[in-house]
């Protein structure tokens, strides 16, 4: 069974990788991903300076998903620029995730990370967890201006990590931006921002930052993730490859993302829950699904979802 995929001309030995944020902050985390069955190593979204992130508790799993307001804890781009060359020993793509609190932060990081030669850069326009900083991906003009500048600076192919959109007009507007910029791939979706989970017994919120508001992940967001993959596949699938992110817990979930048009998937909540051994389980489960449905490869079933 061929579980490999190719994104922006880069070969991935399997189509499964971590979502930026899940177990990918430290040097130890990144080498663990290297030694695992993950098909790539995606770094935590990096900012100019090391950040400790938001106050704890800031990540809670619950039945059906997770809520987080991590606040971009990361080592700072200089540390990742030093780590990335060593990660190449694992013979799988290294994807540098770039974030920032203002546009200049992204440009600074892109310039520095070029030197480390990651295979791809994923530009994170969708972190919902920085108080006072709205998700850039919901501002189409600001997204376009920033991405045009990044495109002109970045050496590796760039992709964009997008927030979920809930209206076809917004899918269309972002698809036009992405086409004008000429990005190579998109990762959809980041967490569903600013959800609220509470504990009725104690009558409290479950995470501390932002009064308990945080990004939702896991099984509960799968329909939103699939809808975004499908919508972008229909709009730009011929030109821009899609990494499906959101609600992947089983091989069936991966198969559903592929049917909607994803070329690969990222794993978040269940990676936090099960650690890197999850990749081996998911590989076997995906192979089982493809075999059962008569497909020989990931590429064969991509986008094959039928309408009624
Ligand atoms: C965080 O660090 O708060 C999560 C990052 C993200 O959602 O992009």
């Amino acid at each position: 069974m061929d579980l490999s995929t190719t994104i922006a001309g880069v070969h991935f030995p399997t189509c499964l990788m971590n979502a930026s944020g899940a177990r990918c902050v430290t040097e130890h985390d990144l080498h663990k991903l290297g030694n695992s069955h993950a098909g790539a190593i995606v770094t935590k979204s990096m900012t100019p300076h090391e950040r400790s992130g938001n106050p704890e508790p800031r990540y809670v799993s619950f039945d059906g998903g997770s809520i987080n307001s991590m606040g971009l804890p990361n080592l700072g781009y200089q540390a990742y620029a030093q780590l990335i060359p060593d990660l190449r020993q694992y013979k799988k793509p290294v994807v540098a995730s770039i974030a920032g609190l203002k546009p200049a932060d992204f440009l600074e990081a892109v310039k520095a990370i070029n030197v480390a030669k990651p295979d791809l850069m994923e530009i994170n326009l969708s972190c919902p967890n920085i108080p006072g900083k709205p998700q850039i991906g919901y501002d189409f003009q600001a997204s376009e201006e920033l991405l045009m500048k990044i495109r002109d600076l970045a050496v590796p192919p760039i992709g964009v990590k997008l927030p979920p959109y809930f209206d076809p007009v917004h899918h269309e507007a972002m698809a036009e931006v992405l086409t004008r910029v000429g990005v190579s791939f998109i990762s959809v979706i980041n967490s569903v921002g600013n959800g609220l989970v509470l504990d009725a017994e104690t009558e409290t919120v479950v995470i501390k930052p932002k009064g308990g508001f945080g990004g939702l992940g896991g099984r509960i967001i799968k329909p939103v993730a699939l809808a975004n993959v499908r919508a972008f596949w229909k709009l730009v699938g011929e030109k821009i490859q899609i990494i499906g992110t959101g609600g992947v817990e089983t091989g069936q979930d991966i198969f559903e993302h592929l049917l909607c048009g994803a070329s690969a998937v990222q794993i978040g909540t269940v990676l936090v829950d099960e650690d890197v051994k999850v990749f081996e389980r998911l590989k076997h489960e995906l192979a089982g699904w493809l075999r059962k449905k008569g497909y020989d490869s990931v590429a064969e079933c991509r986008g094959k979802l039928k309408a009624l």
Side-chain angles (χ1 to χ4, degrees), residues 44 68-73 124 126-129 190-191:
K44 174 67 182 170
N68 89 83
S69 182
M70 303 301 290
L72 295 173
N124 182 355
S126 48
C127 176
N129 301 329
N190 206 327
S191 59

Side-chain angles (χ1 to χ4, degrees), residues 10-11 24 55 64 75 78 90 201-202 246 282 297:
V10 176
H11 177 76
C24 61
L75 305 178
Q78 274 159 345
Y90 298 108
E201 282 301 334
T202 59
L282 291 175
S297 68

